[in-house]
Amino acid sequence: MAADARGAPGRQSTKFLLLYALANAGGVAAYLPLLTLLLPSKIAAVAGGAHVQWLSAATLAGAVSASLANIGFGWASDLKGSRRTWVALGLALTLASYALLHAAATLATIVGAVILYQAALNMMLSPLAAWAADTVPDDQKGVLGGLLAVGHPIGALAGVLMTLPFVRGQGAQLALLCAIIAGLTLPLLLSAAPPKAQVQPNAPAPAQRNMRRIDLSMLWIARLLVQIAGSVLFAFLLYYFQSLPGRPASEADVARLSGITLAAAMPLALLLGRASDRLGARRPFLFGTAVAMSLGLTVMGLRPGFGAAVAGYALFGCSLAIYLSLHSVYAMQLLPSPHRRGRDLGLFNLTNTLPALLSPLLAVALAPTYGFEGLMIALALLVATAALLILVIRSDSKTP
């Protein structure tokens, strides 16, 4: 087990939680602007009219690389070395991979660079996730989950900074992005070893281990269903709003709405995370946010006016951010083995990468026949199923 993971009983320091949240935001900044802005632009400049097909190929290859690397490097960090060392090495290789992406000039080399970039990035992200599972006690994981909600807004802000007028050329954009990632991540890596908080072994008894494996399976499926719904919705969000009666929505309208929703979710995630720590239970909050997501999608599926559709999306988006932040720390609590946290969290990470493969199939199957109304109702049913799965889970923070 990593040296960072052991220690005497106690609570984790606020400083460590804040530095960890910033490092997690650095991880988000390492992929969000590149995958949503820089990579599509680079492929479009090279592929011309075939940019959609090549972007899909690069995304698919990258998702496979990310999935395998997340499991592999998480497992490697279980077996040898400290989490800090693996995160530092992953950070260095991630920054180096941006140079490869910048130098790639053909479509084949761009796809190859994306594969290497995803492997390097997940060498950083997987041990980073396991580091929190090692060191943060269960009664502080709700606060940690709330702090993790800041990751996506900071990642989105990094994308905004890269597109400012004075940042000219992709080389300058990548250099700025590297500086942002390093600035967010290095404070944690350069800080003194955190106060050692005792994280209780995860269900040492065989009966408890078996129960937690079943519960983790339910939790895994629930997250996968929610991530599929979110992936489909975000892919078609602009088209959905443009299909509504009334004034047409612009890209700026949708971007502004998404930003406001994420900003509103941050304090709510922290508040509810702290409340779940005090209550000693995560399931009521996960169930409630899943129900709220389903209601928001249902409102959107009823083809309302623009204002009601905005309210439905805001309810969904805000609830999704809270759900995912609390879900991540709940999964850490239920891991069956304290010696394989990196590997097991890597397997859980498949719920983040598989939707990239499954979501297009669902959209193609439903949207042309049933329109956006039918698609939104189908997504609402997926999320409602996830809510029911949360009810089936038997373990919670109070489980010995």
Short mmCIF file of all heavy atoms in Angstrom, two decimals, residues 134-161:
data_model
loop_
_atom_site.label_atom_id
_atom_site.label_comp_id
_atom_site.label_asym_id
_atom_site.label_seq_id
_atom_site.Cartn_x
_atom_site.Cartn_y
_atom_site.Cartn_z
N ASP A 134 -7.72 6.49 0.23
CA ASP A 134 -6.77 6.05 1.26
C ASP A 134 -6.80 6.94 2.49
O ASP A 134 -6.66 6.46 3.62
CB ASP A 134 -5.34 6.09 0.71
CG ASP A 134 -5.05 5.00 -0.31
OD1 ASP A 134 -5.79 3.99 -0.33
OD2 ASP A 134 -4.10 5.17 -1.09
N THR A 135 -6.92 8.24 2.30
CA THR A 135 -6.56 9.18 3.36
C THR A 135 -7.72 9.96 3.97
O THR A 135 -7.54 10.58 5.02
CB THR A 135 -5.54 10.20 2.82
OG1 THR A 135 -6.09 10.86 1.68
CG2 THR A 135 -4.24 9.52 2.43
N VAL A 136 -8.88 10.00 3.33
CA VAL A 136 -9.98 10.81 3.86
C VAL A 136 -10.98 9.90 4.56
O VAL A 136 -11.55 8.99 3.94
CB VAL A 136 -10.68 11.59 2.72
CG1 VAL A 136 -11.84 12.42 3.28
CG2 VAL A 136 -9.68 12.49 2.00
N PRO A 137 -11.24 10.11 5.86
CA PRO A 137 -12.19 9.26 6.59
C PRO A 137 -13.60 9.41 6.03
O PRO A 137 -13.95 10.41 5.40
CB PRO A 137 -12.12 9.80 8.02
CG PRO A 137 -10.87 10.61 8.09
CD PRO A 137 -10.62 11.12 6.72
N ASP A 138 -14.42 8.39 6.27
CA ASP A 138 -15.78 8.39 5.73
C ASP A 138 -16.58 9.59 6.19
O ASP A 138 -17.40 10.12 5.44
CB ASP A 138 -16.50 7.10 6.13
CG ASP A 138 -15.99 5.89 5.35
OD1 ASP A 138 -15.18 6.09 4.44
OD2 ASP A 138 -16.43 4.77 5.66
N ASP A 139 -16.36 10.04 7.44
CA ASP A 139 -17.19 11.14 7.94
C ASP A 139 -16.74 12.50 7.42
O ASP A 139 -17.30 13.53 7.79
CB ASP A 139 -17.23 11.14 9.47
CG ASP A 139 -15.87 11.37 10.10
OD1 ASP A 139 -14.87 11.50 9.36
OD2 ASP A 139 -15.80 11.44 11.35
N GLN A 140 -15.74 12.52 6.52
CA GLN A 140 -15.36 13.75 5.83
C GLN A 140 -15.51 13.63 4.32
O GLN A 140 -15.26 14.59 3.60
CB GLN A 140 -13.90 14.10 6.15
CG GLN A 140 -13.66 14.63 7.56
CD GLN A 140 -12.22 15.05 7.75
OE1 GLN A 140 -11.33 14.21 7.87
NE2 GLN A 140 -11.97 16.34 7.77
N LYS A 141 -15.92 12.47 3.85
CA LYS A 141 -16.00 12.27 2.40
C LYS A 141 -17.12 13.09 1.76
O LYS A 141 -17.05 13.43 0.58
CB LYS A 141 -16.17 10.78 2.09
CG LYS A 141 -14.88 9.98 2.20
CD LYS A 141 -15.04 8.58 1.64
CE LYS A 141 -13.69 7.87 1.51
NZ LYS A 141 -13.18 7.39 2.77
N GLY A 142 -18.17 13.40 2.51
CA GLY A 142 -19.23 14.24 1.95
C GLY A 142 -18.72 15.64 1.65
O GLY A 142 -19.01 16.21 0.59
N VAL A 143 -17.94 16.22 2.57
CA VAL A 143 -17.33 17.53 2.33
C VAL A 143 -16.38 17.44 1.14
O VAL A 143 -16.35 18.33 0.28
CB VAL A 143 -16.59 18.02 3.58
CG1 VAL A 143 -15.73 19.24 3.26
CG2 VAL A 143 -17.59 18.36 4.68
N LEU A 144 -15.59 16.36 1.08
CA LEU A 144 -14.70 16.17 -0.06
C LEU A 144 -15.49 16.14 -1.36
O LEU A 144 -15.12 16.78 -2.35
CB LEU A 144 -13.91 14.88 0.10
CG LEU A 144 -13.00 14.52 -1.09
CD1 LEU A 144 -11.90 15.55 -1.26
CD2 LEU A 144 -12.40 13.12 -0.91
N GLY A 145 -16.60 15.39 -1.37
CA GLY A 145 -17.43 15.33 -2.58
C GLY A 145 -17.93 16.70 -2.99
O GLY A 145 -17.95 17.04 -4.18
N GLY A 146 -18.34 17.51 -2.01
CA GLY A 146 -18.79 18.87 -2.33
C GLY A 146 -17.68 19.70 -2.93
O GLY A 146 -17.89 20.46 -3.89
N LEU A 147 -16.46 19.56 -2.39
CA LEU A 147 -15.33 20.31 -2.93
C LEU A 147 -14.96 19.85 -4.34
O LEU A 147 -14.50 20.65 -5.16
CB LEU A 147 -14.12 20.16 -2.00
CG LEU A 147 -14.24 20.85 -0.63
CD1 LEU A 147 -13.06 20.46 0.25
CD2 LEU A 147 -14.30 22.37 -0.80
N LEU A 148 -15.16 18.56 -4.62
CA LEU A 148 -14.85 18.06 -5.96
C LEU A 148 -15.74 18.68 -7.03
O LEU A 148 -15.38 18.68 -8.21
CB LEU A 148 -14.98 16.53 -6.00
CG LEU A 148 -14.00 15.74 -5.14
CD1 LEU A 148 -14.20 14.25 -5.34
CD2 LEU A 148 -12.56 16.12 -5.44
N ALA A 149 -16.91 19.18 -6.62
CA ALA A 149 -17.83 19.78 -7.59
C ALA A 149 -17.25 21.03 -8.24
O ALA A 149 -17.76 21.48 -9.27
CB ALA A 149 -19.16 20.12 -6.91
N VAL A 150 -16.18 21.60 -7.66
CA VAL A 150 -15.57 22.79 -8.25
C VAL A 150 -14.74 22.44 -9.48
O VAL A 150 -14.37 23.32 -10.26
CB VAL A 150 -14.68 23.50 -7.19
CG1 VAL A 150 -13.35 22.78 -7.01
CG2 VAL A 150 -14.43 24.95 -7.59
N GLY A 151 -14.48 21.13 -9.70
CA GLY A 151 -13.59 20.72 -10.78
C GLY A 151 -14.07 21.15 -12.16
O GLY A 151 -13.30 21.74 -12.94
N HIS A 152 -15.31 20.88 -12.48
CA HIS A 152 -15.80 21.19 -13.83
C HIS A 152 -15.90 22.69 -14.10
O HIS A 152 -15.54 23.14 -15.20
CB HIS A 152 -17.13 20.49 -14.08
CG HIS A 152 -16.96 19.09 -14.60
ND1 HIS A 152 -16.66 18.03 -13.79
CD2 HIS A 152 -17.00 18.59 -15.88
CE1 HIS A 152 -16.54 16.93 -14.51
NE2 HIS A 152 -16.73 17.24 -15.78
N PRO A 153 -16.38 23.51 -13.15
CA PRO A 153 -16.34 24.95 -13.42
C PRO A 153 -14.93 25.48 -13.66
O PRO A 153 -14.72 26.33 -14.53
CB PRO A 153 -16.96 25.55 -12.14
CG PRO A 153 -17.86 24.49 -11.62
CD PRO A 153 -17.15 23.21 -11.94
N ILE A 154 -13.95 25.00 -12.90
CA ILE A 154 -12.58 25.44 -13.12
C ILE A 154 -12.07 24.94 -14.48
O ILE A 154 -11.39 25.67 -15.21
CB ILE A 154 -11.66 24.95 -11.98
CG1 ILE A 154 -12.00 25.71 -10.70
CG2 ILE A 154 -10.19 25.15 -12.34
CD1 ILE A 154 -11.16 25.33 -9.51
N GLY A 155 -12.42 23.70 -14.84
CA GLY A 155 -12.04 23.19 -16.14
C GLY A 155 -12.65 24.01 -17.27
O GLY A 155 -11.99 24.30 -18.27
N ALA A 156 -13.93 24.40 -17.10
CA ALA A 156 -14.58 25.24 -18.10
C ALA A 156 -13.93 26.62 -18.16
O ALA A 156 -13.77 27.20 -19.25
CB ALA A 156 -16.07 25.37 -17.78
N LEU A 157 -13.54 27.16 -17.00
CA LEU A 157 -12.87 28.45 -16.97
C LEU A 157 -11.53 28.39 -17.68
O LEU A 157 -11.15 29.34 -18.39
CB LEU A 157 -12.68 28.89 -15.52
CG LEU A 157 -11.94 30.23 -15.31
CD1 LEU A 157 -12.70 31.37 -15.98
CD2 LEU A 157 -11.73 30.51 -13.83
N ALA A 158 -10.83 27.27 -17.55
CA ALA A 158 -9.57 27.10 -18.28
C ALA A 158 -9.80 27.19 -19.78
O ALA A 158 -9.01 27.79 -20.52
CB ALA A 158 -8.92 25.77 -17.92
N GLY A 159 -10.92 26.61 -20.25
CA GLY A 159 -11.26 26.70 -21.66
C GLY A 159 -11.54 28.13 -22.09
O GLY A 159 -11.15 28.56 -23.19
N VAL A 160 -12.20 28.90 -21.22
CA VAL A 160 -12.47 30.31 -21.52
C VAL A 160 -11.16 31.09 -21.63
O VAL A 160 -10.96 31.89 -22.56
CB VAL A 160 -13.38 30.93 -20.44
CG1 VAL A 160 -13.50 32.44 -20.64
CG2 VAL A 160 -14.76 30.28 -20.48
N LEU A 161 -10.25 30.87 -20.69
CA LEU A 161 -8.97 31.59 -20.71
C LEU A 161 -8.16 31.28 -21.96
O LEU A 161 -7.50 32.16 -22.52
CB LEU A 161 -8.16 31.23 -19.47
CG LEU A 161 -8.74 31.67 -18.12
CD1 LEU A 161 -7.89 31.15 -16.97
CD2 LEU A 161 -8.86 33.19 -18.06
#
